[in-house]
Amino acid sequence: MNIDFNRPIILYMHAGSGNHGCEAIANTTVKYIAEQREKTGAEEDLPLILVTNSAAEDRKYSLGILEKKGLCTIVEERHIDRHFIPHVIYYLWRLVTRDKQSFLRYRYKDAFKEFDNAVGKANKRKGEKPLAISIGGDNYCYKSLVPDLILAHKVFIRRGFETILWGCSIEPKSLKDKKLVKDLAAYDLIYARESITYDALVDAGFNKDKLIFEKDPAFMLDTAKVPGINGSLPGNTVGINLSPMVQNLEKTPGITMKNYSNFIEFILRNTHQNIALIPHVVWKNNDDRKPLNELYEIHKYTGRVVMLADMPAEKLKGYISKCSFFVGARTHSTIAAYSSNVPTLVIGYSVKSKGIAKDLFGTYKEYVLPVQKLASENALVDAYMRIMKKQNTEAEAQGGIQ
């Protein structure tokens, strides 16, 4: 089904580019819309507003460049928790009127103002329905976010927007929640980025005419040209990503870190390859650099382990693309590897990692190691060996065919 992008558009539920997975989704979505508009000869002044949790983060990385090129306008949400007086006023209003959407209207007040001004300048036809695209990816996988997602969606519907849920993953068991299902049914289109989510929505009774199965937009992320680091790249380095979020979901305390450390030691002892530690989220309360620095301190004495600095998503993909193998906890770090044809092992925790691997390989069992099921301290090494054995067997078979 073709979508009409030749109209005013708001992208919302973007958490900020300090999470380079969020950056990758927003980056590729903005570029995709610009390409589609160019193909169809759309007016150059059509607004595309990117509503963000942090404009400073976005302008620090690749989205700032896209804004300077005129492909989008970045507008930061209002943060009611940071302003005492509005918080009190809106809290009392909500208490008296039971108007739950009031907080969300405040949140998007600046975005709607910018949007209305842009639409006015573009002199668009009255009555044309604008488009709101929720680009949060796996937002609906987190119970704590669902109430605000539902309220935000209602705000956009009441303002006359058509709505799309873009590149999403949804836990099948969550579709037992009637409020969640009602909200999802109100979208004009839902793009499921993997088949487990798509099939779950079909099984839950969603109309197939409103569902589209399409891979995560971040698969289209550009790969920046990058230099090597201390001779470690390209082609002779195993890339590693680890996140605090995955560690928090482990059932055995410390098992994830022990697996990663044992894996690094295995690579250093049994191969000539080096190790690149690659952070993909650098938020203060959820920073990959914390566990990766712990790994660096343990193994730095070898002189064969490097820690990459923070950088835009396209550059991170550049380094990941040069790896001989990649182990990742962040979904979009693994998407960068997958889309660069780098053999990849995922330390997963939700439907998204399983679904994406299943669609690529026909199964997720050999390619995703659920952190909740980690029991052995060498589970990561064992999974790596299985993947490499399978890859070598396939390579030998292809050589024999010739």
Side-chain angles (χ1 to χ4, degrees):
M1 181 181 294
N2 293 325
I3 301 174
D4 177 17
F5 291 110
N6 295 347
R7 50 181 163 160
I9 298 174
I10 283 184
L11 308 179
Y12 73 105
M13 298 311 296
H14 169 56
S17 292
N19 181 323
H20 295 299
C22 296
E23 178 195 1
I25 293 175
N27 174 301
T28 50
T29 301
V30 168
K31 287 181 178 178
Y32 178 74
I33 291 172
E35 289 169 2
Q36 295 305 306
R37 285 176 169 179
E38 185 176 356
K39 285 181 182 178
T40 54
E43 297 90 339
E44 292 185 0
D45 58 355
L46 271 175
L48 175 58
I49 308 295
L50 174 63
V51 188
T52 177
N53 183 63
S54 175
E57 284 183 13
D58 291 333
R59 290 181 176 130
K60 179 180 179 181
Y61 303 107
S62 65
L63 294 172
I65 296 173
L66 299 187
E67 184 180 42
K68 289 179 180 178
K69 289 181 177 179
L71 300 186
C72 66
T73 301
I74 298 171
V75 180
E76 185 166 325
E77 304 166 356
R78 290 190 174 193
H79 301 279
I80 198 166
D81 56 323
R82 300 177 188 176
H83 304 285
F84 178 75
I85 294 177
H87 197 168
V88 171
I89 293 172
Y90 275 82
Y91 176 79
L92 292 174
W93 173 264
R94 184 171 177 171
L95 192 65
V96 173
T97 65
R98 300 187 183 278
D99 178 8
K100 294 183 179 180
Q101 294 177 37
S102 61
F103 278 23
L104 277 298
R105 290 198 301 272
Y106 176 85
R107 178 174 175 175
Y108 294 116
K109 189 172 183 178
D110 292 338
F112 285 134
K113 182 178 179 180
E114 180 70 31
F115 184 79
D116 292 340
N117 289 339
V119 170
K121 290 178 181 178
N123 195 27
K124 296 305 295 173
R125 298 184 302 274
K126 289 184 178 180
E128 181 180 38
K129 266 203 166 187
L131 180 62
I133 304 177
S134 178
I135 62 170
D138 64 346
N139 281 343
Y140 278 91
C141 291
Y142 304 106
K143 289 184 179 180
S144 61
L145 295 181
V146 170
D148 275 358
L149 287 165
I150 293 174
L151 291 173
H153 190 198
K154 287 180 178 178
V155 168
F156 282 98
I157 291 173
R158 289 192 176 184
R159 283 187 63 100
F161 284 78
E162 286 187 9
T163 59
I164 293 176
L165 180 56
W166 187 252
C168 71
S169 288
I170 298 169
E171 293 285 353
K173 62 183 179 181
S174 71
L175 294 174
K176 296 178 182 179
D177 184 337
K178 292 181 179 179
K179 290 183 179 179
L180 173 60
V181 170
K182 183 179 179 181
D183 174 56
L184 294 174
Y187 283 100
D188 292 280
L189 280 175
I190 296 177
Y191 274 72
R193 64 180 169 183
E194 31 77 18
S195 60
I196 295 178
T197 291
Y198 180 86
D199 292 341
L201 289 168
V202 172
D203 292 343
F206 281 77
N207 189 332
K208 288 187 178 181
D209 290 339
K210 294 179 65 174
L211 301 178
I212 295 177
F213 174 31
E214 183 64 55
K215 64 184 178 182
D216 191 298
F219 273 89
M220 299 185 294
L221 184 70
D222 291 335
T223 305
K225 292 182 179 180
V226 293
I229 297 180
N230 296 335
S232 294
L233 298 171
N236 192 39
T237 298
V238 173
I240 288 181
N241 167 261
L242 175 58
S243 75
M245 179 179 290
V246 159
Q247 288 180 289
N248 290 338
L249 292 171
E250 64 187 14
K251 298 301 182 183
T252 304
I255 192 72
T256 308
M257 182 63 73
K258 188 63 177 177
N259 261 274
Y260 269 78
S261 187
N262 285 351
F263 175 69
I264 292 173
E265 188 172 336
F266 175 85
I267 294 296
L268 295 178
R269 283 186 176 182
N270 295 281
T271 78
H272 295 294
Q273 298 185 95
N274 298 310
I275 299 291
L277 305 173
I278 305 176
H280 217 259
V281 174
V282 293
W283 285 333
K284 185 177 181 180
N285 62 343
N286 193 5
D287 193 337
D288 294 354
R289 292 173 296 188
K290 183 176 179 180
L292 290 176
N293 269 319
E294 290 181 34
L295 290 171
Y296 177 74
E297 289 300 321
I298 294 171
H299 300 283
K300 68 179 181 180
Y301 75 93
T302 65
R304 293 168 59 191
V305 179
V306 294
M307 177 82 177
L308 266 65
D310 179 36
M311 62 189 75
E314 293 167 331
K315 286 190 175 182
L316 287 170
K317 184 174 180 179
Y319 284 109
I320 291 171
S321 72
K322 293 179 179 291
C323 292
S324 56
F325 192 89
F326 188 75
V327 178
R330 297 290 184 182
T331 298
H332 284 90
S333 72
T334 63
I335 287 177
Y338 285 146
S339 57
S340 303
N341 296 316
V342 175
T344 302
L345 174 63
V346 180
I347 309 302
Y349 61 89
S350 72
V351 62
K352 57 184 178 179
S353 54
K354 293 179 180 179
I356 292 170
K358 175 178 175 288
D359 296 333
L360 290 172
F361 308 111
T363 179
Y364 62 80
K365 291 184 179 179
E366 296 179 6
Y367 302 95
V368 178
L369 204 58
V371 67
Q372 299 93 331
K373 295 182 179 180
L374 280 182
S376 166
E377 293 182 351
N378 289 304
L380 204 163
V381 171
D382 293 340
Y384 167 78
M385 293 295 288
R386 287 193 295 270
I387 291 177
M388 295 307 297
K389 181 178 179 181
K390 184 173 183 179
Q391 186 179 28
N392 292 335
T393 300
E394 291 174 351
E396 289 174 3
Q398 290 175 359
I401 291 173
Q402 297 174 4

